Amino acid sequence: MRNEIWEWTGFNAMEPRVAERSVVHDGQVEVRIRAIGICGTDLHIMSGHAEFAPPPLPLGHELAGVVERVGAGVTSWRAGDRVCIDPLTGCGKCGECQSGNKHRCPDSGEFGLHYPGGWQRYMVLPHANLYRLPDSISFEEATQAETLHCCLGGIDKLNVRIGEHASVVGDGPTGLYFVQLLKAAGAGKVSFIGMRDSRLKLGQELGADAAANINSGDSQLPESESQDIIIDAAGTESSLALCIALLKKGGRLLLFGLPGKPIAADVQTIVLKELNLLGSTNAPGVWPRVIQMMASGQVKVKPLLTHAYRFEEMDKAIAFARSQIDEAVKIIVFADDTKGELR
Ligand SMILES: [Zn+2]
Ligand SMILES: [Zn+2]
């Protein structure tokens, strides 16, 4: 049985390949991938700015599809089930795994980063990495559950109180999700701070009460020492400095964007303002809530899905993503029989 795969093969390079479909072992499930989200991490891996595993490797960790085959001992899934995929794995035996924190497992890894990901027609993975998709969530929307689960895990750590003033710095997809989640969590006024007017406008359409483009001066920015909460979804030295300046004394700062290298911070001010800094990555326990929020419309994904390609055009999708056009918020690759059009 034939599988089609796109592999990252070296510096900003990728190639299609045909292979036999994998054997489905005990406890495993084969998913026919239907939609794949292109993530900034994919680009960083391809350019060598993020290193997890050497090429050749099929990337892709924002995935949704349909169960095709199940291995022996799998009773919770059957062919035809609509699913989204949690790409994270742990050993399953250590204390962190057993307490629901597989992302902290010493042996944790991720499909599409450390192991072959979803740039394939058919992907085999452990049955425990699947979540059931209600019919009301499309496959392309479901690809965003992975990103959203990281964002929701971060929001949970902030213990948002109703009415608090909050800012999001960074106008990528995660910034647009954080704006919505802060509003859903009860923040009173949410300011969205970025560098691209089209993204800032979208953020306001999705619930931000104010928006500020840092390239057009300080006039739109929240006042210094005015914010109870800030989420740094950019992860640069300048975004961190801005967050520290805007936070009230005793404020909470969620560090979410990855700088990729050590950066300087004004620790003197952090100490004197008694700021609370929180790092956040994955949050395995929040997946069911993410799916509930998507199904109920409490968080909207569709407005972020701006461009679509077909599986055969994966190289074009990646090249387009690399062009970093402001309007291209999230690019979806369809691995199904449709023409690759967003519905
Ligand atoms: Zn991602
Ligand atoms: Zn473990």
Side-chain angles (χ1 to χ4, degrees):
M1 289 187 293
R2 188 182 130 104
N3 194 10
E4 291 169 50
I5 301 169
W6 275 99
E7 269 179 344
W8 160 54
T9 52
F11 178 72
N12 283 346
M14 57 195 294
E15 274 168 33
R17 184 165 74 82
V18 173
E20 281 294 300
R21 273 159 70 183
S22 304
V23 175
V24 184
H25 292 290
D26 292 5
Q28 290 184 326
V29 173
E30 180 187 56
V31 176
R32 183 174 165 221
I33 300 294
R34 296 289 300 267
I36 303 161
I38 303 297
C39 176
T41 304
D42 300 326
L43 305 182
H44 291 144
I45 292 172
M46 291 185 72
S47 65
H49 286 97
E51 276 181 59
F52 300 100
L57 189 78
L59 305 182
H61 58 273
E62 301 182 357
L63 308 164
V66 175
V67 172
E68 187 79 13
R69 292 183 291 162
V70 300
V74 175
T75 54
S76 45
W77 301 105
R78 55 170 86 167
D81 285 343
R82 302 173 81 250
V83 294
C84 60
I85 293 173
D86 172 4
L88 192 76
T89 62
C91 73
K93 301 180 194 92
C94 73
E96 294 290 4
C97 282
Q98 290 191 333
S99 49
N101 292 313
K102 62 181 173 177
H103 60 304
R104 295 179 187 156
C105 171
D107 295 324
S108 88
E110 221 166 300
F111 292 103
L113 275 66
H114 306 86
Y115 317 120
W119 288 4
Q120 316 184 55
R121 296 273 185 194
Y122 297 94
M123 179 180 181
V124 173
L125 69 169
H127 73 95
N129 285 64
L130 304 186
Y131 287 94
R132 200 172 298 279
L133 266 190
D135 288 342
S136 60
I137 303 177
S138 66
F139 293 113
E140 57 267 36
E141 288 171 294
T143 62
Q144 297 307 291
E146 196 274 331
T147 311
L148 266 167
H149 111 278
C150 294
C151 296
L152 184 56
I155 292 285
D156 282 353
K157 289 185 178 145
L158 284 166
N159 291 317
V160 181
R161 288 184 289 252
I162 292 174
E164 285 189 312
H165 284 194
S167 289
V168 177
V169 178
D171 57 17
T174 57
L176 291 159
Y177 292 136
F178 275 126
V179 163
Q180 299 182 63
L181 294 172
L182 280 169
K183 289 305 282 189
K189 181 176 180 184
V190 174
S191 301
F192 189 31
I193 301 166
M195 301 170 77
R196 295 170 281 198
D197 285 334
S198 60
R199 303 285 185 95
L200 296 172
K201 186 165 163 281
L202 179 55
Q204 286 181 293
E205 286 163 13
L206 291 170
D209 302 286
N213 188 326
I214 47 171
N215 290 332
S216 43
D218 291 346
S219 57
Q220 307 293 317
L221 284 174
E223 282 179 34
S224 62
E225 304 213 359
S226 66
Q227 301 297 294
D228 300 291
I229 290 169
I230 303 191
I231 296 170
D232 185 356
T236 65
E237 206 164 300
S238 57
S239 68
L240 178 56
L242 178 65
C243 294
I244 291 168
L246 296 183
L247 277 167
K248 279 183 187 169
K249 287 180 178 153
R252 286 107 77 203
L253 172 57
L254 185 75
L255 299 168
F256 188 84
L258 286 173
K261 60 180 194 315
I263 58 172
D266 179 359
V267 176
Q268 174 99 349
T269 304
I270 293 170
V271 173
L272 293 175
K273 286 176 79 169
E274 298 190 323
L275 300 182
N276 299 286
L277 274 59
L278 300 155
S280 196
T281 57
N282 294 74
V286 308
W287 274 85
R289 266 196 298 144
V290 164
I291 293 166
Q292 283 167 29
M293 290 185 79
M294 291 173 79
S296 69
Q298 218 173 0
V299 58
K300 292 186 176 59
V301 165
K302 239 177 206 164
L304 277 74
L305 309 181
T306 50
H307 293 77
Y309 288 84
R310 285 178 293 121
F311 187 75
E312 298 81 356
E313 306 171 313
M314 180 68 83
D315 50 347
K316 290 194 187 119
I318 291 294
F320 182 69
R322 207 176 281 127
S323 72
Q324 299 252 323
I325 292 171
D326 289 3
E327 287 71 31
V329 180
K330 181 55 79 172
I331 298 161
I332 298 294
V333 173
F334 285 101
D336 58 14
D337 303 329
T338 61
K339 287 193 220 111
E341 281 163 8
L342 291 163
R343 284 150 285 213

